[in-house]
Amino acid sequence: MRRIAFINEKGGSCKTTLAVNTAAWLASRRDARVLLCDLDTQGHAGKSLGVDVRGLRPTIADLLCDPAVQVNEIVRRTPIAGLDLLPANKDMGRFPLEVAARADRDRLLQRKLADLAGYDYVIFDAPPSMGLVTTNIMLAAEEIVIPVAMTYFALDGCAEILETVEWVRDRFDHPSLRVAMVVPTLYRKTALATEILERLRERFPEEICRTVLGFNVQIDEAQSHGQTIWEYAPQSRGAAMLEDIARELVARAPASARRAAHGSA
């Protein structure tokens, strides 16, 4: 089971777009069993799948705050076969306050998912900030995908995420945590965007994704209809870019995952 988190502390990086569409591609095009965990108070992952998360209970906040609540009480099916959701909404905002005094507050998500079975992938959509929620995600995940919008402060934000990954690895003895891929997003053919892209390639020669996610109106339209690109415009340029990114992420499986897949084949 691969556990992959899409993380960027800045909003507007296409983090949710990549998390949701990658999860949907794995389920619909690779026949994988996928659990998508939304940990953002905006609940955009659920909304992108046509799930009305406003006022929804229980949510992933209940799973993390209440020791008695189990994963199977929170999981919801989505319109995409093979893709399940742990939904979030504004109620997630209570999590840091309610668990602040708990000694195990950093590992709550990891422990709740420790006995999870029946899935090939667990995909985490992180909030656009660093803090207790993101630490929980990093401890529950093993692979990090960093979407980086082609903007002036993008490189600074990416460097800060790398520092946090190293801190979590060392502080919590989580050596398997690694940056699997850095994905350039929202690219337009401008001098500034091209310069940022080249600097990313220089800084992350191994991690940089070969596919650059450019602006695409059909991706935005799909989200506005509560659909993935595979449902809304499967033959579009946006779908082609997102599929290439998902394929590359699959190919970047750690050695342990490749051995497990080979053994089950």
Side-chain angles (χ1 to χ4, degrees):
M1 183 190 302
R2 291 178 65 182
R3 299 175 182 239
I4 306 169
F6 289 75
I7 295 177
N8 193 310
E9 67 176 71
K10 300 183 184 302
S13 66
C14 293
K15 171 183 56 61
T16 298
T17 297
L18 286 170
V20 170
N21 284 284
T22 296
W25 182 83
L26 289 166
S28 62
R29 304 301 173 90
R30 297 291 289 248
D31 293 323
R33 290 280 293 139
V34 185
L35 179 63
L36 177 61
C37 305
D38 189 357
L39 289 115
D40 189 352
T41 57
Q42 298 175 96
H44 283 173
K47 292 175 183 177
S48 296
L49 292 167
V51 179
D52 185 2
V53 300
R54 294 171 298 178
L56 184 67
R57 292 293 297 270
T59 67
I60 200 165
D62 298 289
L63 177 68
L64 296 174
C65 293
D66 187 342
V69 175
Q70 301 301 311
V71 173
N72 60 2
E73 301 175 54
I74 310 299
V75 169
R76 290 179 176 266
R77 293 187 176 181
T78 74
I80 298 173
L83 175 58
D84 292 339
L85 173 71
L86 291 182
N89 54 28
K90 290 183 178 180
D91 194 43
M92 186 64 193
R94 67 187 172 93
F95 166 68
L97 294 175
E98 288 198 15
V99 305
R102 292 181 56 170
D104 63 346
R105 60 186 176 274
D106 297 297
R107 296 186 180 273
L108 291 170
L109 182 61
Q110 179 190 46
R111 290 173 178 170
K112 286 288 188 173
L113 301 182
D115 298 325
L116 191 67
Y119 292 101
D120 303 297
Y121 294 85
V122 181
I123 304 293
F124 302 92
D125 184 25
S129 62
M130 290 297 179
L132 182 59
V133 175
T134 301
T135 301
N136 267 265
I137 293 170
M138 287 188 177
L139 287 172
E142 291 190 334
E143 301 174 63
I144 305 294
V145 175
I146 308 176
V148 183
M150 299 293 93
T151 59
Y152 181 72
F153 293 112
L155 293 174
D156 288 343
C158 194
E160 290 172 3
I161 295 170
L162 289 176
E163 291 174 2
T164 303
V165 169
E166 289 302 315
W167 178 79
V168 169
R169 283 167 55 97
D170 296 340
R171 170 67 176 79
F172 297 96
D173 191 23
H174 188 19
S176 61
L177 184 67
R178 67 185 183 93
V179 175
M181 199 156 69
V182 174
V183 184
T185 66
L186 301 178
Y187 176 76
R188 285 179 173 172
K189 290 184 179 180
T190 66
L192 177 60
T194 300
E195 178 184 352
I196 294 170
L197 180 57
E198 289 307 311
R199 290 177 65 184
L200 272 177
R201 286 171 172 160
E202 292 172 4
R203 176 65 180 81
F204 306 103
E206 300 297 326
E207 296 88 354
I208 194 76
C209 182
R210 292 190 298 270
T211 299
V212 177
L213 184 62
F215 278 91
N216 183 267
V217 66
Q218 286 168 310
I219 294 176
D220 289 339
E221 289 174 351
Q223 291 175 325
S224 73
H225 287 82
Q227 294 181 324
T228 69
I229 195 67
W230 322 116
E231 301 160 283
Y232 182 77
Q235 304 303 317
S236 66
R237 173 59 181 154
M241 289 188 290
L242 288 167
E243 179 169 2
D244 286 345
I245 292 168
R247 285 186 181 277
E248 184 169 349
L249 182 58
V250 168
R252 287 173 178 256
S256 58
R258 290 195 297 271
R259 287 194 298 269
H262 180 74
S264 62

